[in-house]
Amino acid sequence: MRKLVYYIAVTLDGRIAGPGGEYDFFPAGDEQQSTAYSAWVNTLYPETVPTAYRAAAGLADAPHRYFDTVVMGLGTYRDPLDRGITSPYAHLRQYVVSSTLDTDVDPAVTVVPGDPLALVRELKREEGTGLHVWLCGGGKLAGALLPEIDELVVKHYPVVAGAGIPAFDGAFDPTVFDVAERTAFPNGVTLTRLARR
């Protein structure tokens, strides 16, 4: 069965963005550190690079390694949408969970106004792809989908936001994950892959 994987960047205090959705405060290190880190992560998860940046990252024709589908909430989709990008991950099947967004925002984007759990369960049952479903945000959607999240890939950045959007925003529901691997980078970022126990 396919996995739902929450692949996300977080601050030390568990925020995926600031109060206004900003994420430009995540420190990347100096140019050499940033380049090495990006190259390593992009090699591992090339499909998580937005379509508009794939050519510049040398990933224009890169095959999918881990994901073929992306699921996001309106808060995550709003950033590219506000910049006129209606299909941010055109190289993937794209689903946006929202009860307020127009369903015809872009032919390559499926807007799901209903139950995100039903959507994810259906996507996970698909056979034959060998690839997984990427939950790229946001915190409210992650909180709603916690029962279906099989794996976390968390990029911890060495910064405290103090306020902002939490990685999970939902009901109290302690859920244990086991660390499968952890990699530390010279720019202070730690990437940890965790599997549901």
Side-chain angles (χ1 to χ4, degrees), residues 22-95:
E22 60 270 60
Y23 52 87
D24 56 354
F25 63 91
F26 283 84
D30 64 31
E31 186 175 342
Q32 183 179 3
Q33 292 171 337
S34 178
T35 300
Y37 166 71
S38 294
W40 191 90
V41 172
N42 292 349
T43 299
L44 199 58
Y45 300 105
E47 51 276 88
T48 63
V49 176
T51 303
Y53 305 111
R54 289 174 65 79
L59 300 170
D61 299 320
H64 297 336
R65 293 195 66 218
Y66 208 71
F67 304 113
D68 65 1
T69 304
V70 61
V71 176
M72 66 190 97
L74 180 58
T76 300
Y77 184 59
R78 177 66 57 203
D79 179 60
L81 191 60
D82 287 349
R83 292 183 282 127
I85 301 170
T86 57
S87 182
Y89 297 100
H91 54 285
L92 299 173
R93 287 191 306 160
Q94 303 167 91
Y95 294 87

Side-chain angles (χ1 to χ4, degrees), residues 6 8 16-23 70-83 85 88-89 95-102 109 111-112 135-142 164-166 169:
Y6 190 23
I8 199 73
I16 60 174
E22 60 270 60
Y23 52 87
V70 61
V71 176
M72 66 190 97
L74 180 58
T76 300
Y77 184 59
R78 177 66 57 203
D79 179 60
L81 191 60
D82 287 349
R83 292 183 282 127
I85 301 170
Y89 297 100
Y95 294 87
V96 177
V97 177
S98 171
S99 60
T100 60
L101 188 64
D102 259 349
V109 174
V111 177
V112 180
L135 171 59
C136 82
K140 287 183 183 176
L141 184 56
I165 300 169
D169 187 3

Side-chain angles (χ1 to χ4, degrees), residues 24-26 35 41 55 62 73 84 100 106 119 126 138 143 153 170 182 187 189:
D24 56 354
F25 63 91
F26 283 84
T35 300
V41 172
T100 60
D106 188 289
L119 166 69
E126 291 176 343
V153 179
R182 181 171 286 141
N187 64 352
V189 178

Side-chain angles (χ1 to χ4, degrees), residues 83-180:
R83 292 183 282 127
I85 301 170
T86 57
S87 182
Y89 297 100
H91 54 285
L92 299 173
R93 287 191 306 160
Q94 303 167 91
Y95 294 87
V96 177
V97 177
S98 171
S99 60
T100 60
L101 188 64
D102 259 349
T103 56
D104 61 353
V105 67
D106 188 289
V109 174
T110 302
V111 177
V112 180
D115 179 12
L117 282 169
L119 166 69
V120 166
R121 287 173 181 147
E122 180 181 325
L123 292 172
K124 287 172 70 173
R125 281 194 298 269
E126 291 176 343
E127 294 182 13
T129 72
L131 297 172
H132 303 294
V133 179
W134 170 31
L135 171 59
C136 82
K140 287 183 183 176
L141 184 56
L145 291 176
L146 181 57
E148 289 296 324
I149 295 175
D150 302 291
E151 190 173 291
L152 303 169
V153 179
V154 182
K155 299 177 290 183
H156 285 98
Y157 282 77
V159 62
V160 174
I165 300 169
F168 290 91
D169 187 3
F172 181 72
D173 185 14
T175 305
V176 178
F177 288 81
D178 292 323
V179 173

